[in-house]
Amino acid sequence: MSDIPETPFDIIYLGIGTVAWAVAGLKIRAWRRDPSLGLLVVALTIAAPATAFVVAAPLVYRLVDRIANLGNLATLLVYLGITAFSAAVVVLARMWTPPSERADSQVWDAAGADIWREVRRRLAVFAVLVPVMIVLFFTGGADGPETPLTFDTTFATIPQIAIFLVLYQALFGFALIDISRVCLGHASRLPPGWLRRGIRLIALGGLVACGYVVCKLIAIGAAFTGGDPGEAGGRAIGTEWLSTALGPAFAALGAVLITAGFAGPAAAAWTRRRRDYQALRPLWDLVYRADERLALEAPPSAWTERLAFRDLEWRTARRGLEIRDGQLTLRPWVDPAVVTVAAQVAERADLGAEDRAALIVAAALRCAVEALNTGIPPRPREDQTPLPGLDAEPAEERAHLVRVARSLYGPLTGEALAVATATG
């Protein structure tokens, strides 16, 4: 089966590697902004197999061998990349050990001394076995012929290469089972949402990738005991199919699921920040028109707003602070009657506490801006009406302001203002 077409493998491996490296780049960027060991390990966990997939593409595989002038060197690089992934996953699994396996700690607590002792013991195993794998590879004489797709079944008849392959698969399989077990434990403790969904995808990806390990071990064992895998024969053909078709399919699908698991929660958080940033625009415009000194810069154009993809956390936080400053500036012009009417409208509409507060603030701010613009004198401090939400916790403040922004020109706000105007 030396005539296996290589183009599909180029497309699949390069595609997966490129996407995974894009995700790893985002994790590295996040780590540089907020250095933490957890983020660094996650970035390495994604970058190592991403590099392995790129090098495993036959096009890149042959290029590496040609540059190094050593046949099948790319195989060693690919397997060392996956082994680096295995080591990073083992560290991540220890850092993410479920709370039931820790003493007096919470699910996201930093790893303690006991956890780090376990990490060092497991990394010591990798530190010993990786040099052994390198020695076995170079002493096995597997430098020809060049076999980007059939290395395992071609050279598994050589004892040193067979041991090299089994060590690699054993480390990889252990890491996959370890991270899947830990992720399933975490997912069961998390509330519904993208974080739980992402961790479950990582667990599922790890279990699916175990199919690659099983296929490869069967193929390696059959090739080792069955002689030349290139011979015509049912077992040889089946062995090579396991190694070059079914196994890589499991690996590719597992890699896609694991990458999606790491990327999903981050993409969801980015989408939420961008949505909040744009949702706050009407409320920001209202307070900016009241006092342009509140903002560091003039309102961005509609196109600038749509094309805002970077620094969204900083932009959204700044917009929230400027809105808060504007709300305090407008407080002397808030009409208590409007607050009362808005509360009555919210009660008739049977709104929950959060939506009720948002409606009151939206109606009060619109009325206050109009009062300011028409020259109504401000109320003295003792007659000013405090608005709900000013004492919200930082974690809840943004959600409150987004609700206010969405209520600003809603029908209930219009109804409250119309009733307040009709009653004088």
Side-chain angles (χ1 to χ4, degrees):
M1 291 187 64
S2 58
D3 58 344
I4 299 174
E6 295 182 352
T7 301
F9 289 89
D10 283 328
I11 295 172
I12 294 171
Y13 287 178
L14 288 175
I16 293 174
T18 301
V19 172
W21 251 115
V23 176
L26 293 174
K27 296 295 183 183
I28 292 171
R29 184 169 178 261
W31 170 74
R32 292 184 63 184
R33 290 186 171 187
D34 182 21
S36 70
L37 184 59
L39 267 178
L40 179 59
V41 174
V42 168
L44 294 176
T45 302
I46 304 171
T51 304
F53 268 97
V54 171
V55 177
L59 183 68
V60 180
Y61 187 104
R62 296 185 185 280
L63 177 62
V64 169
D65 289 354
R66 189 160 56 248
I67 292 173
N69 196 28
L70 181 63
N72 296 316
L73 176 65
T75 290
L76 177 63
L77 299 181
V78 170
Y79 287 2
L80 289 180
I82 299 299
T83 303
F85 162 81
S86 302
V89 159
V90 166
V91 174
L92 204 59
R94 299 281 72 71
M95 295 175 68
W96 285 358
T97 300
S100 61
E101 299 179 19
R102 294 195 195 176
D104 302 322
S105 61
Q106 300 300 317
V107 65
W108 298 119
D109 278 358
D114 292 343
I115 298 298
W116 285 118
R117 276 195 294 272
E118 291 184 28
V119 168
R120 286 193 294 269
R121 282 199 297 268
R122 283 164 172 77
L123 288 182
V125 174
F126 284 87
V128 171
L129 292 183
V130 166
V132 172
M133 290 171 59
I134 295 173
V135 170
L136 289 169
F137 180 86
F138 283 112
T139 59
D143 54 346
E146 191 176 48
T147 53
L149 298 178
T150 61
F151 178 90
D152 293 358
T153 51
T154 300
F155 295 103
T157 53
I158 303 172
Q160 295 97 314
I161 300 301
I163 297 172
F164 163 79
L165 294 172
V166 169
L167 286 177
Y168 156 66
Q169 296 293 345
L171 291 174
F172 187 35
F174 171 77
L176 292 173
I177 294 172
D178 203 27
I179 195 65
S180 298
R181 174 187 64 83
V182 169
C183 285
L184 287 174
H186 272 333
S188 66
R189 294 168 174 83
L190 290 172
W194 257 109
L195 182 57
R196 184 170 74 173
R197 203 172 298 133
I199 288 179
R200 281 181 171 170
L201 282 176
I202 295 172
L204 178 60
L207 294 175
V208 169
C210 285
Y212 165 84
V213 176
V214 172
C215 289
K216 285 289 187 178
L217 287 175
I218 294 173
I220 292 165
F224 181 75
T225 59
D228 182 5
E231 293 177 355
R235 187 169 66 168
I237 298 299
T239 294
E240 203 160 315
W241 177 80
L242 280 175
S243 180
T244 60
L246 187 58
F250 278 120
L253 179 57
V256 169
L257 291 171
I258 291 171
T259 302
F262 280 117
W270 179 87
T271 302
R272 185 172 58 252
R273 284 193 294 269
R274 190 166 188 269
R275 184 178 63 241
D276 289 350
Y277 173 70
Q278 293 177 331
L280 289 173
R281 177 63 186 264
L283 184 55
W284 186 87
D285 283 341
L286 183 76
V287 300
Y288 178 78
R289 289 196 299 270
D291 188 352
E292 296 183 359
R293 296 171 301 174
L294 294 171
L296 293 176
E297 56 189 30
S301 66
W303 271 108
T304 302
E305 190 95 352
R306 292 191 189 99
L307 296 176
F309 296 107
R310 297 182 57 188
D311 303 321
L312 288 172
E313 181 61 32
W314 180 80
R315 293 171 188 249
T316 308
R318 194 189 77 182
R319 182 163 284 185
L321 288 173
E322 291 172 353
I323 289 171
R324 278 304 195 193
D325 290 341
Q327 185 172 333
L328 292 173
T329 299
L330 291 170
R331 183 171 173 174
W333 285 272
V334 170
D335 190 340
V338 173
V339 172
T340 301
V341 170
Q344 293 170 349
V345 170
E347 186 175 354
R348 285 200 301 272
D350 196 26
L351 298 183
E354 294 174 341
D355 291 331
R356 172 191 174 98
L359 174 62
I360 292 172
V361 174
L365 292 182
R366 281 184 58 182
C367 183
V369 169
E370 184 177 349
L372 173 64
N373 292 337
T374 54
I376 295 176
R379 297 176 181 274
R381 182 179 295 273
E382 59 273 13
D383 292 340
Q384 294 176 12
T385 303
L387 294 177
L390 279 176
D391 56 349
E393 295 293 330
E396 302 170 355
E397 183 180 63
R398 182 176 299 178
H400 166 71
L401 293 178
V402 168
R403 280 191 291 270
V404 173
R406 289 174 176 160
S407 300
L408 202 58
Y409 299 104
L412 292 179
T413 303
E415 179 185 342
L417 291 175
V419 171
T421 301
T423 58

